[in-house]
Structures are given as C-alpha cells and as structure tokens.
Amino acid sequence: MDIRNVSTPAAQSPDDRIRYRFINSKNERSEPNDLTEADKLFIQQHGYIEYRRCYYFGEYRKNLNAFVMRQKSNFTMRLLFHIKRGKNKNKRVMLLTNDKGKSEVIDIETKQLASFQLFKELVEGAGHFLFYGSQQNLLRLKARLMEDEKPCIQLDTLGWNKDGFFAFSNGVIWDNNFIPVDKFGVVHIGDQDYFIPYHPGTDESNYLNEKRFAWSPGWATWEQWSKLYCNVFGDAGRIVLMFGVATLFSDHIFSIKGNFPMLFLYGEGGSGKSKMIQSMQQLWGEPQPSLKVSEKANTDKSKIRKMAQFGNAMALLEEFINVPDMALIKTYTGFYDRYGYERADVDTKYGTETIPVKSTVAFTGNEYPADDPLLQRLIQIDHNVNKFTAEQDRSFDDLSKMSRQGLTQIVLHLLKFRDSVVKYWGTAYEMALKNYKAVCQELKAPSRMIENGAVLLATFEVLYAAGLTFPFTAQELSETMYTVLKSHIEKRDTGSGTSRFWDIFAHLIGLQKIKNGDHYDLRGNELLIRLAEVHTYYLMEHLSAHRQPGLNKATLMQKLKDHPAYMQTKDSHRFKGDDGSKTSAFVFDFNSLPPEVQRRISM
C-alpha cells in the first residue's frame, strides 16, 4: 500500500516502540533486527535508508506506529565530486554499487542527474543498476547526497597547469614529487581536488592519445640521457635537445616574448628526422601520433586541436609540403604566435570560445618552405644523414632501450629549475639576443630569425647558471646555432623561390610574354619591374614548368626585397608602354642580377 501525506513523529532520538517494516522488490516483508540507532534516526529525519546496498523509501504510519519502507533501487550511489569546468559544463563523478557488490565509477553531465528519465537511462546503461522509485524519491536522494560531494576542477589539458603543477594522465608533478590519481581519477593537491578524465580507470578504448601522455619513470638521469641523445644525433641533437627543454617552460617564454619558435628538420626520407623528434617526445610518455601535413583528413582545426591537447609539450607535423592554400600556411605561422581558432559560444548570442595553442611545434619534410613569413618563424636544421657509424648504431640502440624504460623522471628533474627560469629568463634573453646579433651580423638575417636562436641560448644560460649540466658548452651551442642559421639564410636566398623567379623572368622575356616598356624598364643601371603585372605571368609559367604553384605576391615581394640586387620600391613610375597612368615599381641593380636576366634584357 502506498503511503501519502502521513505525519512523521518529531524525535530527537529513536523511539524503541516504533517498528520498521521493509518491503523488497519481490514484495517480501521483513522487520530487520540489524538496524542501528543511527539508521533509525536517519530514517526518521530523511524518510529513506541505504540498506543492504539498496535504497528503501517510506514514511511513518501512525495507525501501525511503524515506518513502512519500500525498496526503490537495487543499488546505492555516491556523488564523489562536483567537477567545475565552466559555464553550463559542470559534471559529477558518481560511484554506483549494486546489491551483488558490482561497482562502477562514472562521470556524468549535470543534466543526467537533473532529468529523471536521463538518470534512469544513465544508471541502467552503466550495468545492472535499477531505480524503481519516483522523481520525488530521486530529488530527496540528491538533496542528501549533494551535501557530501567535494568540489573538484577538471583538467581538460594535460601538461603544465597555471596552478603550478604538471599533469599526466595518471597523476601530477607537484612540489618536486609525483602524485598519482586515486581510483576515481582524482588527485589531491593541497586543499584542492583535480579530476583527470583520462585516468587509467576509464575504458581502455577511450582517450588513447591522452593515455600515452603518462608518468612512466625509468632509471636514466638527465646527464646520462642528454649525453647519449647528443651522441646519437650530433650537432642537430644539441638544438633539438634545447628546443625540447625550452618547451617545458614555453608558457613563461611566450608570456615574455609573445611568440615561441618552431622547429623544422629538413632532409630526405630515411635520414632520421622523425626519430630525433619522437625520441625527444618520450620525455612526456609514449610519443604522440604525428600529423601528416600532406593528408587532407588532417584539417586546419584538427591541427590546432592537436596543439591544444598538451601544455608545454611538443607536437610533430610530418611530411611538410608547399601548398597554394594560404589559409593553411597562415595556420602554421599562427602556431608561432599561439593563435588557435575561435568558435561560437552556443550559450551566448555573440560570445566566442577560443581553442588555444599550448604545445610547441616541430615540422619534418623534404620540401623547403616557400612562404617567407613561415620561414622566419622556424629554426631550420638540415639533416640528411643516411649512413650511420657502428658506434652511432650502438648508441641509438642504447638510447632506445633507455627510452623504453621511461623518461618522465627527467621532466620532474627539469621542472625543479622552473623558479630560476621564471626569475631570470627575461634578463638572460636580452643578453643572449644582444650577443647573438653581434655573432650573426654578417649573415644579415631578419631579426625574427636571430630571436628564435636567442630563445634557446637564453634557456641554456639560465639553466646552466642554476646548476643543470649539459653535454656541450655555451660556446659549442652558439657555434652550432650560427652554422644552422647560416644554412637557413642561404637556402632562404637561393632555394626558396627567388632564383626560380629570376629564371622564369628571363624565360618570359624570351617568350615575349613580358616586354620592355610594358612590364619592365631599364634606366641606366636601374631595372624597374612592374611586379603586379609580372607576378600573374610568373604564376602561370611556374605552374606549367614545375607542376606546383609559385610564391604568392606578398611572399615574393618580401624575398625580392632581401635579394642583393634590390635597391628600393618606387610608389610612382610611368612605364613607356603604359596608358599614361603611374604605378609602383621594384628597382634592382642591373649589374647584380643573374647573368641570364642581364643577357635577355640586353638582347
């Protein structure tokens, strides 16, 4: 018989004269004798009881002087944590235990607890968990259970956290120690709880990439590993090593500079470019799957999401190719400034949600980037080593064995120097930039490219001063950086499209597609080019001859300004064959142009 609107005796302590009748789901009746005084008081106060891993609800019946309690579930639950994720995104971690002793831990959205129907679907979907009660029963249950749940912050992004710790999928580095998650995926730091949704207790088929980012310590020390790494990969390894170390502090470096350089390993297939990066990535657990730049399935947004997954970690983009899609190139250049993308916030009319860039980026490829703004944001390393000595092979095997044992303990060691980086890096960078500019003065490199190298040099100086040892000296690193930058500048001048432009320019003159007076004008020793018109013919000829698009106009203009023959840009010049209007013109020293261009113009 249902019990409705029956009064409950007001009691400060249980009355021994009151009886307690229980009716289970099979309509079997009993008067349990194992209820404690606390159980009886709880029934009188709340109208339900957790009994034998089930919930019984009821009310006092005066005519029977008894509480009649009916079974409304075959399980009990705990609201362990209230997880804060931002507006309308909060959720909870719930523990379900049924009458057979089977338990499940699930994280649920708030709406799944607010809606009676969604709640029933949720618990039944988790296994043999049945709720026979009403919505009112559920409301009474939630009111009591919410009193005991703990507030908790969800860590959507692994890696460095602004609260001062480094998060892996299975725990965090805090205060120079590793603290593992508990069985619910929660880690306790000070007086705050953090929930990691990618913890080992989740379904093994979920969050596969995040679970690679796991604390997995081995036996190697920083000194042992860094020395072996540089033995295997040589001078290039020095730069990649410093890039990886700087990555661990990239949030602070970015806060000072407003950007962070990208790495580009250039060379033919089989030269070990990807192995060098993946070996470095093992600092953060198992290396993340790389993104193939050439694959159309990897959209711009998917690449940005990859950069948002992990803070102060390194992402790998393989098989770089030059593409005509400037939107894609701008996505790459945006990584340097940590520009992600914005999407509409469904909860507001005009608000937006920003997907940030938190990882550093390493590219590999056997095509040299043609876009000059992208080029200037890279630390480019030529790596065409296809043959290795027996000693290098043995060292690589040793490095691989060492890495398989785990390297995350090295991250803990390096993070001990974070206070020094935060305190001194800005000053060290100013000094490193000044010195590196002096060293590289003759290279005439764009300031941004010098700044990129100074980032690594400053990181070395701060950490070395704080007591970290390296398998190379500051002088050796500076010399390696100089050699790399010199090669980068030479390729930028000769191999990035400028020489190809002059070849095509001369060829177009021979074909009489561009003509003296209409498209160029020789005035004494000055050659004036109507670049806006010439660029159209250049693009068509480039595509026909090389089966790929040429440089866009903005990039070509920048590269031509860096050419030794460039003199100036005139805002107003009247070409002889023109209709009389004036237009801008690029001015070059005729005697400094490639011989074939001089020959064609002089014919």
Side-chain angles (χ1 to χ4, degrees):
M1 178 173 62
D2 291 338
I3 305 170
R4 298 184 179 89
N5 301 322
V6 181
S7 62
T8 302
Q12 297 300 318
S13 61
D15 188 338
D16 291 337
R17 295 171 298 174
I18 298 176
R19 301 160 63 190
Y20 297 86
R21 294 183 175 178
F22 280 50
I23 305 172
N24 66 18
S25 60
K26 299 178 181 179
N27 212 32
E28 298 171 343
R29 301 168 185 263
S30 64
E31 293 189 16
N33 56 15
D34 56 349
L35 293 179
T36 66
E37 295 299 300
D39 291 336
K40 295 174 183 178
L41 183 59
F42 190 92
I43 291 173
Q44 293 184 29
Q45 290 176 336
H46 299 286
Y48 79 90
I49 188 66
E50 177 184 314
Y51 182 67
R52 295 182 180 176
R53 300 195 186 108
C54 303
Y55 286 121
Y56 284 78
F57 286 82
E59 293 188 14
Y60 177 70
R61 290 197 56 184
K62 190 173 183 180
N63 62 325
L64 298 175
N65 192 29
F67 276 91
V68 179
M69 312 296 292
R70 293 182 180 275
Q71 183 183 352
K72 298 298 183 180
S73 76
N74 74 333
F75 67 92
T76 59
M77 64 182 184
R78 297 283 184 273
L79 297 178
L80 302 173
F81 300 99
H82 180 213
I83 299 171
K84 301 175 182 179
R85 300 183 62 208
K87 183 180 178 183
N88 296 331
K89 296 180 181 179
N90 295 339
K91 62 180 186 178
R92 288 176 162 84
V93 175
M94 177 189 293
L95 171 65
L96 304 175
T97 305
N98 67 15
D99 56 357
K100 306 298 183 184
K102 173 66 175 177
S103 294
E104 290 288 341
V105 176
I106 55 177
D107 52 284
I108 64 171
E109 298 179 20
T110 299
K111 65 181 180 181
Q112 291 175 298
L113 196 58
S115 166
F116 181 66
Q117 186 58 39
L118 289 179
F119 171 76
K120 293 191 68 174
E121 292 176 6
L122 169 73
V123 295
E124 291 181 19
H128 188 222
F129 303 100
L130 303 174
F131 191 77
Y132 320 122
S134 65
Q135 187 167 359
Q136 185 178 7
N137 295 147
L138 179 60
L139 287 171
R140 183 180 292 181
L141 192 60
K142 289 191 298 182
R144 176 65 188 87
L145 294 178
M146 286 181 180
E147 294 178 4
D148 296 331
E149 68 180 355
K150 295 180 180 180
C152 191
I153 298 173
Q154 176 161 315
L155 300 180
D156 291 313
T157 300
L158 299 177
W160 182 253
N161 186 280
K162 61 181 177 59
D163 289 345
F165 57 83
F166 195 94
F168 291 96
S169 62
N170 55 347
V172 305
I173 293 174
W174 181 70
D175 195 25
N176 296 331
N177 290 289
F178 178 75
I179 305 174
V181 296
D182 63 18
K183 63 181 180 180
F184 305 117
V186 173
V187 63
H188 312 279
I189 301 177
D191 57 356
Q192 180 63 63
D193 293 319
Y194 295 87
F195 173 67
I196 301 179
Y198 323 115
H199 65 92
T202 57
D203 189 295
E204 62 181 12
S205 61
N206 291 339
Y207 312 121
L208 296 181
N209 288 344
E210 288 82 358
K211 286 178 179 177
R212 292 171 179 262
F213 201 93
W215 171 259
S216 178
W219 53 267
T221 65
W222 154 259
E223 289 79 11
Q224 292 170 327
W225 175 78
S226 61
K227 181 179 180 180
L228 189 55
Y229 185 89
C230 290
N231 285 346
V232 172
F233 298 113
D235 288 352
R238 294 176 180 175
I239 297 178
V240 178
L241 180 76
M242 287 310 308
F243 186 84
V245 172
T247 290
L248 283 171
F249 310 104
S250 58
D251 68 301
H252 178 69
I253 295 172
F254 178 80
S255 72
I256 293 176
K257 287 191 81 267
N259 55 57
F260 193 90
M262 297 179 288
L263 196 63
F264 187 91
L265 268 63
Y266 170 77
E268 297 301 320
S271 56
K273 304 183 299 296
S274 296
K275 287 182 179 179
M276 196 187 310
I277 302 300
Q278 289 166 349
S279 184
M280 179 61 58
Q281 284 183 312
Q282 288 180 300
L283 288 176
W284 295 275
E286 186 179 349
Q288 295 292 315
S290 62
L291 283 179
K292 305 293 186 184
V293 174
S294 56
E295 290 182 359
K296 293 183 179 179
N298 293 322
T299 64
D300 293 6
K301 290 185 177 180
S302 71
K303 295 181 179 70
I304 293 173
R305 284 195 296 272
K306 187 79 170 178
M307 306 306 137
Q309 280 183 304
F310 310 106
N312 290 8
M314 188 191 304
L316 172 59
L317 276 69
E318 292 186 303
E319 299 178 6
F320 175 88
I321 58 173
N322 290 298
V323 294
D325 183 1
M326 284 308 298
L328 181 57
I329 297 298
K330 288 187 178 299
T331 295
Y332 298 152
T333 59
F335 294 157
Y336 177 83
D337 302 295
R338 299 208 159 180
Y339 292 150
Y341 72 90
E342 293 183 343
R343 61 187 180 192
D345 185 343
V346 296
D347 298 316
T348 62
K349 187 173 182 180
Y350 300 110
T352 57
E353 179 184 10
T354 301
I355 305 301
V357 170
K358 294 189 175 182
S359 293
T360 63
V361 184
F363 291 96
T364 65
N366 54 20
E367 282 193 25
Y368 192 77
D371 183 74
D372 201 63
L374 176 60
L375 273 175
Q376 293 188 31
R377 288 163 169 81
L378 302 172
I379 297 174
Q380 182 267 325
I381 304 173
D382 287 347
H383 194 67
N384 277 308
V385 182
N386 290 299
K387 293 183 179 180
F388 302 92
T389 66
E391 182 180 352
Q392 284 177 313
D393 286 337
R394 286 193 297 270
S395 294
F396 182 77
D397 290 340
D398 291 341
L399 181 65
S400 298
K401 292 175 184 177
M402 182 183 290
S403 299
R404 284 195 296 270
Q405 294 296 319
L407 296 176
T408 52
Q409 74 280 2
I410 293 175
V411 172
L412 188 153
H413 178 68
L414 293 173
L415 288 177
K416 293 178 181 179
F417 297 91
R418 183 174 174 88
D419 287 345
S420 295
V421 173
V422 170
K423 188 174 182 179
Y424 299 114
W425 193 89
T427 302
Y429 173 72
E430 292 177 4
M431 183 62 67
L433 180 59
K434 179 181 177 181
N435 294 337
Y436 195 46
K437 277 183 177 179
V439 170
C440 300
Q441 184 175 4
E442 66 180 40
L443 298 180
K444 297 180 180 180
S447 59
R448 181 180 281 128
M449 296 172 73
I450 296 177
E451 290 173 7
N452 293 338
V455 167
L456 305 191
L457 293 169
T459 303
F460 177 96
E461 293 293 349
V462 170
L463 294 174
Y464 183 77
L468 185 67
T469 59
F470 288 89
F472 44 82
T473 65
Q475 181 65 28
E476 288 171 333
L477 178 61
S478 180
E479 291 172 356
T480 302
M481 294 296 302
Y482 175 86
T483 301
V484 163
L485 180 58
K486 182 179 180 181
S487 174
H488 196 175
I489 293 298
E490 290 172 352
K491 276 190 168 55
R492 179 173 178 260
D493 289 339
T494 62
S496 56
T498 310
S499 60
R500 187 172 286 180
F501 167 78
W502 289 117
D503 290 343
I504 291 175
F505 184 82
H507 185 61
L508 289 171
I509 293 175
L511 296 176
Q512 295 188 342
K513 290 185 177 181
I514 59 174
K515 300 176 182 178
N516 184 20
D518 291 337
H519 305 101
Y520 65 90
D521 190 1
L522 184 61
R523 299 280 181 96
N525 193 46
E526 294 184 350
L527 177 68
L528 295 90
I529 298 178
R530 191 177 185 180
L531 194 62
E533 294 289 333
V534 171
H535 183 256
T536 302
Y537 292 99
Y538 153 79
L539 287 178
M540 292 187 293
E541 187 62 26
H542 193 289
L543 185 61
S544 174
H546 301 287
R547 305 295 183 185
Q548 64 181 28
L551 303 176
N552 65 75
K553 187 165 69 173
T555 297
L556 179 60
M557 290 170 65
Q558 181 60 51
K559 286 183 175 294
L560 290 176
K561 287 181 179 180
D562 293 331
H563 193 274
Y566 174 77
M567 299 176 68
Q568 63 174 313
T569 300
K570 285 190 174 181
D571 294 332
S572 179
H573 178 76
R574 182 178 288 112
F575 285 87
K576 291 184 295 185
D578 200 8
D579 59 3
S581 61
K582 294 183 178 181
T583 185
S584 62
F586 268 48
V587 185
F588 297 90
D589 178 2
F590 179 74
N591 294 328
S592 299
L593 291 173
E596 181 63 15
V597 175
Q598 296 182 40
R599 188 182 72 81
R600 288 286 185 179
I601 292 176
S602 301
M603 289 177 62

